[in-house]
Amino acid sequence: MLLEIIILILGLALLITGGDLLVKGASRIALRFNVSSMVIGLTIVAFGTSAPELLVSLNAAIKEVPDFAMGNVVGSNISNLGLVLGITCLFGFIPIHKGTAARDWTTAMISSTLLYFFAKDGQLESWEGLILFICLIVYLTILYIKTRKDKIKLDYEIDPETDNRFERTKDFFLLLLGAACLYFGSNWFIDGAAGIAVDFGVSQRIIGLTILAIGTSLPELFTSVIAARKGETDLALGNLLGSNIFNVLSILGITSMIHPLDVNEIIISSDMFWMLGVTLCILPLMLLRKRLGTPSGVILLLIYVSYMVTIL
């Protein structure tokens, strides 16, 4: 048991580290080719931060543990809005922007609903994954058109005066190291979770919806809480809704295109309804107030705790 827990924790650490290294290396390489910060933010950073979930779900599908793949995404989406957003609201007010309410929430709700109807027959086929991925491309295109006048500040910059062959080699090495960390991290994370499921006699669905989902949501939780403590909560809701959109359209889209997924009946009849429900609950909270605060946080956390009680 102890060995499985150690493998799980090491796998999660490698996943988080690998995602960061991949984003840093790829972003700096893209900047050298004069790719705009807007495009980098919408593609490399967005895909890079979802890379841990993607590798976990893809690895789970290939290793024939589909409940891990689907449970990871569905559970992460519930965790993002119930747990992460709920806790963030307790640390500071989150303003509601028109774009977030009209565009991001609507897309998150539509993508979650589309996933439910695609999975309703018990399988997510390759052609359905392709449709999900095409929806992502359409969403990113609309996002780019709507926000191309905005300035996106990246964490990674290139200083022409200090940029040399060593810096370029280092960024390429970071890219490769990040990819390697994601590969081995996803393997260890899945193997550790599978071992824990066997030792405890718990279903793969429960492990996917809890340990895997919360584990891959930790980066969003840390980032959102730190931003809230600094008073930088403007993008918190949009980022979390964006993460949910990517989870469905990108992760499940790509995974099912490569390897069709069998979907557990309980995930369809129960967990997906919780995912749709918590997404729907965000709407009145956004419409009733111009910002989310402590009352909203308490409501979201109560929803998440209620969900945890029902599955455990």
Side-chain angles (χ1 to χ4, degrees):
M1 166 58 71
L2 180 60
L3 179 61
E4 282 86 356
I5 294 174
I6 292 173
I7 291 173
L8 182 86
I9 293 172
L10 285 175
L12 179 59
L14 278 179
L15 282 170
I16 295 172
T17 303
D20 286 340
L21 293 176
L22 187 76
V23 169
K24 183 175 182 179
S27 296
R28 285 174 58 85
I29 290 171
L31 285 171
R32 288 192 179 88
F33 286 94
N34 295 319
V35 178
S36 73
S37 60
M38 171 63 69
V39 173
I40 293 173
L42 292 178
T43 56
I44 293 174
V45 174
F47 276 101
T49 51
S50 293
E53 288 96 329
L54 174 60
L55 265 292
V56 167
S57 294
L58 189 55
N59 227 319
I62 293 171
K63 292 186 175 184
E64 301 297 335
V65 278
D67 282 3
F68 279 174
M70 188 63 69
N72 175 38
V73 169
V74 173
S76 288
N77 281 13
I78 297 170
S79 296
N80 281 344
L81 296 183
L83 180 64
V84 178
L85 184 59
I87 291 176
T88 306
C89 287
L90 301 182
F91 282 90
F93 289 109
I94 298 176
I96 305 299
H97 300 290
K98 290 182 179 179
T100 300
R103 181 189 62 237
D104 298 333
W105 180 87
T106 302
T107 306
M109 194 68 203
I110 290 174
S111 61
S112 296
T113 305
L114 192 61
L115 173 63
Y116 169 74
F117 282 109
F118 279 168
K120 201 174 179 182
D121 61 354
Q123 191 171 50
L124 197 60
E125 304 278 2
S126 296
W127 67 268
E128 292 169 328
L130 178 61
I131 291 176
L132 292 175
F133 190 71
I134 290 172
C135 289
L136 175 68
I137 302 302
V138 172
Y139 169 69
L140 290 178
T141 302
I142 294 172
L143 200 60
Y144 175 75
I145 293 171
K146 293 286 186 183
T147 58
R148 59 185 173 180
K149 293 181 181 179
D150 297 343
K151 297 276 187 181
I152 285 188
K153 186 179 182 301
L154 297 173
D155 293 330
Y156 318 111
E157 298 177 350
I158 297 292
D159 185 353
E161 294 183 2
T162 59
D163 191 33
N164 50 39
R165 188 173 182 178
F166 172 76
E167 289 293 321
R168 292 191 291 273
T169 303
K170 184 181 75 172
D171 291 335
F172 184 69
F173 175 72
L174 288 177
L175 184 66
L176 293 179
L177 182 60
C181 286
L182 286 169
Y183 174 77
F184 289 107
S186 64
N187 269 307
W188 294 355
F189 199 49
I190 291 294
D191 291 344
I196 291 172
V198 171
D199 289 343
F200 275 106
V202 180
S203 70
Q204 293 172 0
R205 165 183 165 259
I206 299 297
I207 296 294
L209 290 165
T210 55
I211 295 176
L212 297 191
I214 295 173
T216 52
S217 292
L218 284 179
E220 285 92 343
L221 177 59
F222 294 149
T223 302
S224 298
V225 170
I226 290 170
R229 289 179 67 88
K230 291 180 178 178
E232 301 170 353
T233 57
D234 282 12
L235 299 176
L237 181 56
N239 286 345
L240 290 173
L241 287 172
S243 178
N244 282 18
I245 293 167
F246 262 81
N247 283 348
V248 172
L249 301 183
S250 170
I251 294 168
L252 288 181
I254 293 173
T255 300
S256 57
M257 277 194 293
I258 296 173
H259 191 294
L261 287 171
D262 291 323
V263 187
N264 190 317
E265 175 60 33
I266 303 176
I267 292 179
I268 300 169
S269 61
S270 175
D271 305 309
M272 284 192 181
F273 278 102
W274 278 94
M275 178 179 68
L276 290 167
V278 71
T279 306
L280 189 61
C281 283
I282 297 292
L283 184 61
L285 294 178
M286 291 192 300
L287 295 178
L288 292 174
R289 295 170 173 268
K290 293 183 178 180
R291 60 184 186 179
L292 301 180
T294 302
S296 300
V298 171
I299 292 170
L300 292 172
L301 284 173
L302 285 174
I303 292 173
Y304 186 74
V305 170
S306 299
Y307 172 64
M308 284 290 107
V309 170
T310 61
I311 67 171
L312 296 176

